[in-house]
Amino acid sequence: MSKRDYYDILGVSKGSSADEIKKAYRKMAIKYHPDKNPGDKASEDKFKEAAEAYEILSNAEKKQRYDQYGHAGVGGAGGGGYGGGGMNMDDIFSNFGDVFGGHNPFESFFGGGGQQRGGRRVTKGTNLRIKVKLTLEEIAHGAEKKIKVNKLIACKTCDGSGAKDKSSVSTCSTCGGSGQVRRVTNTILGQMQTASTCPTCNGNGEQITSKCTSCHGEGVVRGEETITINIPAGVSEGMQLSMSGKGNAAQNGGIPGDLIILIEESAHETLKREGNNVVYDLHLSFVDAALGTSIEVPTIDGKAKIKIEPGTQSGKLLRLKGKGLPEVNSYHRGDEIIHINIWTPKALSSDERDVLENLRDSANFKPQPGKNDKSFFERMKEYFE
Ligand SMILES: [Zn+2]
Ligand SMILES: [Zn+2]
């Protein structure tokens, strides 16, 4: 299909000024606007065609290429750019700000924004917020939570319509079902049909003569729904997840709101979270530290056995690689870091006291920190940066 000449589309000549082109486009945009011609495919095509022509002719550089090479110069025959399927409606509407000098008549007269554009107003339910508390194990592996939520749900008696039965719903007599009332006004751009939301039906195009008794015509009632929430591994305190359409139901069969899930962490008995790492404070007897041993420590995945080398110093950090928490949407997993604390006995029997007294002056028991022993901060840096 060969494309029509852009100048012909807007009804202007090649020598027209930018102002004349803009004026011509305004006229076309108003004439073929989809809100004025609901359901009319031919008008919609004309509307798009005019927008495409204006897009090219209002841009000095594109206009020059078009003048020189025709459609081929501006992405022409079925190729990319605006050549193929024409312009996207949202692009067209978003350009109206420029075309109508910052005042887009359709915003106010036709309720230009999103859900209302087709005529009838669609109501949206409110968002619902809930808190979900997770253990460290659930955070590590992800969790499926079934949660009973108290919210507005569609009325079962009337199926959300708010009407007593089918015969008590009729087309709104004020607006004839379009959801909008129109009137003709004179503006600087000529005579224009304007529309506003129908006050009788609030824009939904229907009138209820007899209300549902369960919901008093609201279409929604307070109720409970059990919602299954899949929480990905690696979430953290304060994070918010959103499930669209799981919030409060909307009145008169509109779109339900979203469910916003706020993540909370419950404290673990022995492990502490530091970002994606978990930290465990291991208290070791001074004898085990001196002689070495093997000992069980808790991890998110159960117990793990670790080896304590003879002569282990207090403050040493051991790392269990990959035993920490995953990152959301990533295979990377943090580590478990074991912080060694040497336990000093708080009470001693007289026998124990004797043994230790004998060791007091032994050369091996005198602290001998070496130059190579790292400071606490150096160790922390090494593990957390
Ligand atoms: Zn009802
Ligand atoms: Zn109405």
Side-chain angles (χ1 to χ4, degrees), residues 129-199:
R129 301 172 70 87
I130 57 164
K131 289 177 180 173
V132 172
K133 204 160 192 157
L134 300 168
T135 64
L136 215 50
E137 285 86 354
E138 287 173 321
I139 290 169
H141 301 114
E144 188 189 275
K145 290 271 180 188
K146 283 188 169 41
I147 292 180
K148 221 179 242 177
V149 179
N150 189 291
K151 63 178 209 172
L152 292 175
I153 56 174
C155 172
K156 288 194 176 68
T157 313
C158 63
D159 216 13
S161 71
K164 193 170 184 195
D165 49 47
K166 279 234 160 61
S167 63
S168 54
V169 182
S170 58
T171 302
C172 173
S173 55
T174 307
C175 63
S178 70
Q180 293 179 334
V181 283
R182 289 157 191 271
R183 67 200 160 88
V184 175
T185 49
N186 292 308
T187 74
I188 47 159
L189 307 174
Q191 215 174 52
M192 196 155 78
Q193 206 181 162
T194 63
S196 55
T197 302
C198 170

Side-chain angles (χ1 to χ4, degrees), residues 155-163 212-221:
C155 172
K156 288 194 176 68
T157 313
C158 63
D159 216 13
S161 71
C212 165
T213 50
S214 302
C215 64
H216 309 289
E218 300 281 289
V220 291
V221 289

Side-chain angles (χ1 to χ4, degrees), residues 74-103:
V74 286
Y82 298 108
M87 284 178 81
N88 171 306
M89 279 297 209
D90 285 326
D91 291 339
I92 300 175
F93 291 118
S94 67
N95 287 340
F96 273 4
D98 300 333
V99 180
F100 291 99
H103 173 69

Side-chain angles (χ1 to χ4, degrees), residues 41 102 106 128 146 175 227 266 275 338:
K41 184 81 177 72
F106 300 111
L128 198 63
K146 283 188 169 41
C175 63
I227 297 172
S266 50
I338 298 162

Side-chain angles (χ1 to χ4, degrees), residues 12 36 73 98 110 112 125 130 176 242 245 269 300 332 339 379 384:
V12 292
K36 289 185 70 180
D98 300 333
F110 291 94
I130 57 164
S242 157
E269 218 177 302
I300 290 171
H332 177 259
H339 178 226
R379 285 196 206 116
F384 288 106

Side-chain angles (χ1 to χ4, degrees), residues 352-373:
E352 289 163 348
R353 189 181 299 274
D354 287 346
V355 172
L356 291 178
E357 283 293 356
N358 285 334
L359 296 171
R360 192 195 285 275
D361 292 324
S362 165
N364 286 331
F365 281 71
K366 302 266 185 231
Q368 310 156 32
K371 276 209 180 83
N372 293 332
D373 284 346

